[in-house]
Amino acid sequence: MAQNSTQKPTYQGGCHCGSVRFEINGTINDTVMCHCNLCRKLHGHVSSYARFDRQDLELVRDDGLRWYRLSEKTDRGFCKECGTGLFWRPVRTEHMAVMPGTLDQTGGIRTAGQIFCADKGDYYPLDPAIRQLDQS
Ligand SMILES: [Zn+2]
Ligand SMILES: [Zn+2]
């Protein structure tokens, strides 16, 4: 991340195989870990989401990018070649979220909390150092 008074922060990221590369030219909020059943199903385990303004997203390479309509409210972006989960995009807001593990450098992003703790899997403990919410 590079930041000064005249320039927005810039983040680069992508999937494992390189068929999706992107830049986010703006602020990325602190990330939130989600323990819900759907996230654990989609990612194989707990996932994490960091919100940003969707107009700050620049797709440098998107031939692998596919959007999966999760529900009438939400799309999930992933690479069809290597399966990397990349984005979560509510249909009706100006925000979307990136899965922070796909960023090349995470800059100052921290984990703000963990949500849907009541739905967590019984095969792992919660981290007591991270603020816990039973729902979102
Ligand atoms: Zn890929
Ligand atoms: Zn979830």
Side-chain angles (χ1 to χ4, degrees):
M1 186 179 83
Q3 189 167 18
N4 63 42
S5 56
T6 57
Q7 228 179 342
K8 291 177 171 181
T10 297
Y11 299 84
Q12 285 89 31
C15 68
H16 181 258
C17 76
S19 297
V20 183
R21 291 291 304 167
F22 62 85
E23 287 186 6
I24 295 171
N25 298 301
T27 302
I28 301 180
N29 290 342
D30 285 343
T31 193
V32 172
M33 290 169 58
C34 186
H35 294 276
C36 82
N37 287 305
L38 178 60
C39 287
R40 286 188 290 111
K41 175 65 78 179
L42 289 169
H43 301 276
H45 189 47
V46 177
S47 194
S48 191
Y49 304 93
R51 281 198 342 172
F52 64 93
D53 197 322
R54 76 162 72 192
Q55 70 187 13
D56 292 337
L57 177 66
E58 183 182 331
L59 291 167
V60 177
R61 189 168 169 201
D62 68 352
D63 37 303
L65 184 60
R66 288 293 175 272
W67 293 99
Y68 174 66
R69 177 59 50 95
L70 268 181
S71 70
E72 58 202 29
K73 293 183 193 155
T74 313
D75 294 330
R76 174 177 182 268
F78 67 99
C79 175
K80 73 177 173 71
E81 301 296 340
C82 68
T84 300
L86 295 151
F87 304 113
W88 180 86
R89 183 177 70 180
V91 174
R92 281 189 189 74
T93 74
E94 67 280 15
H95 287 104
M96 55 190 282
V98 62
M99 290 148 206
T102 65
L103 297 169
D104 296 345
Q105 319 86 18
T106 49
I109 299 171
R110 301 264 178 266
T111 297
Q114 42 190 342
I115 60 174
F116 288 102
C117 292
D119 298 334
K120 82 167 193 67
D122 56 9
Y123 59 91
Y124 62 92
L126 291 171
D127 185 340
I130 303 172
R131 191 165 65 101
Q132 298 174 14
L133 294 166
D134 279 346
Q135 306 219 322
S136 65

